[in-house]
Amino acid sequence: MIKSFSILSHLSQRVTFLIVICFVLCFVQFTLIFQLISESSDIERFLSLSSDDNLSAILNCTKKLKCPNNITQFSIHIDQNSQYPNVSYVRSPVFTAILNTIRNSSYYTNDSTAACIHIAPVDTIDRDRRSKNGYYTYFIEQRLNFFHEWSDSNKIHLIFNHYTGTWPLYRRTLDFTLPSHHILASTSFTTANYNCLSHITFPLFHSDYPSNFTNKFSSTRTILLSFKGKSYEDVQHHRTFFRHLNNNHDIIIKYTDNTSSYDQNEYTELLRQSYFCLVPSGRRLYSYRFLEVLQYGCIPVITTSDNEPVILPFSEIINWSQSIIIYSNSPLSLLPYYLKKIGKQQRIQMQKECIDIWLKYFSSIPRIILTTLDILNDRFMSSFPS
């Protein structure tokens, strides 16, 4: 009897031990699964890779615009200065390229009365008085008023602008009164100031854009993350904190504040060899480097904060969610960790998306302007087939 009891007791201990082992294994497995889910959730939380329903609602107008005077198709006219026909108010190469592209497009009409929208050939690209390029147009109100269409409240006017507000508040100051009916194609729109009926998100680019581009794409790269540009250390810009990421191996951060000459070839090679490229705001809320990194298939990592929720160029027609990363309100020190969690196949797919988008919409200044006109065409009720 005692012997039987001893055997049962021994079996009971074994069963208890096995139950405990099973429980521990289940707990460990559950913990690992939870960590994977949590980690995936963290990546999506810190790296915005999914579409924003709120942004979609802001961008997608349910209401269509109408051309004035019962005009049945979208068209654009470059207004004429009847008072001073031989005087030009075009200063910048960018605005010159804009007007030339419009004039040569299928949307252009030489008949002012048949135009759906108008553009006055007065250079509005640079509205920052502190700009040093000499393209700021003074006495702009008086010059705009030389074009009689400008004061016609029944006309719709298209205005292009690159530079307005600067860091840190990026306040928009055009320094002239917009007409009652207008469409402003401008950089640096945010979710707070964008209006889908009167605004178009426009990219920032240099007058010689694109420069030295060769379509030599490589999906295999040696650098995880890179940045080359000014730190703006004198104004304590958030770019200054990038230096803490540099390891001179797979994370390369190079500041150019104190260099007398800029090595463009080194910059280009850095873009070619990097999977991800930091695209911070600078003096402007938008950055020239956004289009530059796209064209070399480097995935843009846009660093921002809730105070400046920028809307990306041509978001009206481009779904950026599968090609870029927005890193906001999170410690920069964690950025490399999250980037490494993005697998190689996903990186390659994002790189291809960047190249495809660049080729389709941003491969030249004329292509950018024609894309703008296509967006406008879609926005009006009666229009050319898209």
Side-chain angles (χ1 to χ4, degrees), residues 18-32:
L18 289 172
I19 290 172
V20 170
I21 291 295
C22 288
F23 177 78
V24 170
L25 288 173
C26 289
F27 178 78
V28 169
Q29 193 172 22
F30 175 79
T31 302
L32 289 173

Side-chain angles (χ1 to χ4, degrees), residues 174-213:
L174 290 172
D175 283 344
F176 65 89
T177 304
L178 290 168
S180 54
H181 300 293
H182 70 271
I183 296 172
L184 178 62
S186 182
T187 63
S188 304
F189 281 121
T190 68
T191 53
N193 62 23
Y194 179 83
N195 184 316
C196 66
L197 291 174
S198 59
H199 293 153
I200 289 181
T201 54
F202 196 64
L204 186 62
F205 51 85
H206 292 287
S207 58
D208 61 348
Y209 172 86
S211 57
N212 302 322
F213 174 71

Side-chain angles (χ1 to χ4, degrees), residues 121-310:
V122 178
D123 205 325
T124 54
I125 287 294
D126 190 346
R127 301 309 302 151
D128 185 351
R129 290 177 180 270
R130 289 169 290 185
S131 293
K132 299 177 181 179
N133 55 28
Y135 298 145
Y136 181 86
T137 303
Y138 289 90
F139 308 108
I140 195 167
E141 290 271 14
Q142 294 93 319
R143 294 176 178 184
L144 285 167
N145 285 325
F146 286 143
F147 301 86
H148 67 86
E149 292 93 346
W150 183 259
S151 56
D152 187 338
S153 60
N154 195 39
K155 305 291 187 186
I156 302 173
H157 300 272
L158 176 61
I159 300 140
F160 286 91
N161 172 254
H162 262 178
Y163 316 120
T164 48
T166 188
W167 191 88
L169 298 177
Y170 303 107
R171 286 176 178 165
R172 181 173 299 284
T173 51
L174 290 172
D175 283 344
F176 65 89
T177 304
L178 290 168
S180 54
H181 300 293
H182 70 271
I183 296 172
L184 178 62
S186 182
T187 63
S188 304
F189 281 121
T190 68
T191 53
N193 62 23
Y194 179 83
N195 184 316
C196 66
L197 291 174
S198 59
H199 293 153
I200 289 181
T201 54
F202 196 64
L204 186 62
F205 51 85
H206 292 287
S207 58
D208 61 348
Y209 172 86
S211 57
N212 302 322
F213 174 71
T214 54
N215 194 9
K216 186 179 178 183
F217 172 72
S218 172
S219 60
T220 303
R221 308 189 177 204
T222 58
I223 299 171
L224 175 71
L225 178 68
S226 71
F227 173 82
K228 181 180 179 181
K230 291 183 178 180
S231 68
Y232 296 117
E233 190 168 10
D234 56 328
V235 292
Q236 290 298 301
H237 198 277
H238 76 269
R239 290 181 178 207
T240 59
F241 298 102
F242 291 170
R243 62 165 52 90
H244 301 295
L245 301 176
N246 183 57
N247 62 13
N248 289 321
H249 174 54
D250 65 344
I251 302 177
I252 306 296
I253 307 296
K254 291 189 175 185
Y255 291 128
T256 59
D257 302 71
N258 301 317
T259 55
S260 56
S261 61
Y262 188 86
D263 190 338
Q264 181 65 33
N265 291 331
E266 182 191 53
Y267 174 60
T268 300
E269 191 58 28
L270 199 59
L271 299 183
R272 290 187 192 278
Q273 292 299 320
S274 302
Y275 281 108
F276 301 97
C277 291
L278 285 163
V279 182
S281 55
R283 187 178 172 193
R284 316 293 175 187
L285 189 52
Y286 272 19
S287 171
Y288 289 114
R289 74 184 61 246
F290 181 68
L291 295 192
E292 293 168 353
V293 303
L294 278 181
Q295 75 181 75
Y296 289 102
C298 188
I299 303 163
V301 179
I302 298 170
T303 55
T304 183
S305 71
D306 283 344
N307 295 325
E308 45 188 70
V310 66

Side-chain angles (χ1 to χ4, degrees), residues 46-60:
F46 288 107
L47 306 179
S48 298
L49 297 171
S50 56
S51 59
D52 188 333
D53 292 337
N54 184 47
L55 180 59
S56 297
I58 292 171
L59 292 169
N60 296 324

